[in-house]
Every structure is written in structure tokens, then in C-alpha cells.
Amino acid sequence: MSATPLATLARTSAPQAMLRRFLALDAAVTGTNALAYFAFSGPLGRFLGVDSTLLLALGAFLTVYAAGVGLLASRPQPPALGVRAVVEANLAWTAVSLVALALWLTPSTAGAVWTVLQSMVVAAFAALQYTALRARQGMSA
């Protein structure tokens, strides 16, 4: 992903602002997902073909994760180590989601589609955050 499409997507050419925006968007999407898992674990569980207890546990985890990513996004200059940890966590989430789908979960068709789509979104966040971090580091070199 080059800097021009990245800047267009972030609506800024400042690497620091891009990084903070992609982190904030990740936190918002993750937090929304967490709230949905908490508030609608029963109906979502039935629709997705996943145990509602699993959705509650994921909701709890995602709430904490979203808060951490949001805190990182609120920093004037998010530390590179923290951003790298978010990128790696997002990549791990993507891999675990797909492995769980292949080896453990037996969701409905909607649940299988949801698992693949959410893992793609999380992987995209990882790519955007990594690219913005690299752009920021290139500016300070």
C-alpha cells in the first residue's frame, strides 16, 4: 500500500495523524463489535451458530482490547512498541479466527461468512497500522 492511497484513506498526509486515525477506527469498530456480542449474545449466537457464552467471553476480551487500542490512539505520539503489539495482535486474531473456523467452530453459513469477513477487516487494520507506523518512522529518520 503506497503513501498516496493511504493518505487518501486517512484523509491526511501526516503520518502521525494517519496512525492515530487507524488506531482510533480499530478501537471504535472493535468496541462496537464487543458491545454487540454483550448486548445480543443470545440472538447473535443463534444467527451465527455460535455458543452465546463464547460471544460473551469474546465481548469481554474485545472490550478490554478496544480500550487499550483507544488509549494508544489518544496519545499524541503512540509508541512504536505499542503499535507493533496491536499489529501483531490483529494478525494473531486473524489467524486464530480462520483456524478456529477450519478446526473447531461449526457455525451457520452466516457465522462462517462473518468469521471470514471480520478476520479480513482485522487484517486490513493491521496492514494500515503497520504502513502508517512505517511512514511515521520514515519521516523521523
Side-chain angles (χ1 to χ4, degrees):
M1 182 171 281
S2 73
T4 302
L6 189 64
T8 301
L9 185 61
R11 297 181 183 244
T12 180
S13 60
Q16 186 63 27
M18 278 191 269
L19 180 57
R20 292 182 66 210
R21 287 180 184 177
F22 293 139
L23 288 168
L25 184 59
D26 186 355
V29 170
T30 301
T32 300
N33 201 27
L35 290 174
Y37 286 173
F38 270 133
F40 306 110
S41 62
L44 275 176
R46 287 187 295 279
F47 178 68
L48 299 174
V50 178
D51 183 54
S52 63
T53 305
L54 174 62
L55 291 181
L56 286 171
L58 288 174
F61 171 77
L62 291 175
T63 298
V64 173
Y65 182 75
V69 176
L71 181 63
L72 197 59
S74 72
R75 305 272 311 266
Q77 183 160 340
L81 183 61
V83 175
R84 281 201 262 348
V86 168
V87 169
E88 289 173 11
N90 283 343
L91 292 174
W93 178 273
T94 299
V96 168
S97 294
L98 296 175
V99 168
L101 181 60
L103 301 178
W104 176 54
L105 296 175
T106 53
S108 64
T109 301
V113 170
W114 172 253
T115 301
V116 171
L117 290 178
Q118 64 82 30
S119 69
M120 290 171 52
V121 168
V122 173
F125 279 136
L128 291 169
Q129 292 156 351
Y130 177 77
T131 304
L133 178 63
R134 297 277 301 182
R136 182 183 80 178
Q137 290 171 334
M139 295 295 288
S140 64

